[in-house]
Amino acid sequence: MRLFLDTSVLLSASGSAKGASRFIVAEAVAQGWDLVSSDYCAEETQRNLPKIGRTAATAWKTEIAPRVRLIRASLALDKPLLFPKAKDRPVVITALAARADWLLTLDVTDFHGKLGCEVYGLRLATPGEFLFERRASGAL
């Protein structure tokens, strides 16, 4: 299963050793999850690491980044996408281009609020929602 991690999830995983975001990164191999993100999200993450604490940059470099496969951001889509947040469009488009099963984000207002729970078969959820669903289905 391929999981696309938005910047908010990368930052959360880097900033805290506890919580759903870090759990997903730590358990990816054992669960058979292919973690992907984009160079766009990685750059945004690196710019914002100083805002979330002294240890975040180290966690990013040693624990998070090595476990997430970065792909080049896609800016074109062969389907219509009505999404008003210009800065987040590359995230959705790249997740679709990567053929991700899930787009995990903590930005509920901009993603879930505008797109709902799914776009072209790509499921949108917070890390906690994703884990809850996996647990409820017996897959975790």
Side-chain angles (χ1 to χ4, degrees), residues 8-123:
S8 60
V9 175
L10 297 174
L11 284 168
S12 176
S14 298
S16 174
K18 298 178 182 179
S21 297
R22 180 69 72 92
F23 180 84
I24 287 169
V25 173
E27 289 295 312
V29 172
Q31 296 296 324
W33 299 331
D34 178 20
L35 302 182
V36 297
S37 192
S38 68
D39 53 354
Y40 177 85
C41 291
E43 289 171 18
E44 191 175 25
T45 297
Q46 290 175 12
R47 268 196 322 274
N48 287 290
L49 284 171
K51 297 176 186 174
I52 60 171
R54 293 178 294 154
T55 61
T58 301
W60 166 254
K61 288 178 189 172
T62 62
E63 298 176 48
I64 311 306
R67 296 178 183 174
V68 178
R69 183 169 50 94
L70 297 179
I71 58 176
R72 204 163 167 215
S74 296
L75 300 176
L77 185 64
D78 62 352
K79 301 169 185 157
L81 178 65
L82 298 175
F83 189 46
K85 293 296 283 186
K87 77 174 188 69
D88 293 328
R89 264 188 229 125
V91 175
V92 176
I93 293 170
T94 305
L96 288 165
R99 300 188 190 286
D101 299 295
W102 292 82
L103 167 56
L104 301 183
T105 181
L106 293 167
D107 192 350
V108 176
T109 302
D110 288 340
F111 285 90
H112 297 66
K114 307 285 191 269
L115 294 173
C117 295
E118 187 176 317
V119 59
Y120 294 120
L122 174 67
R123 303 211 35 207

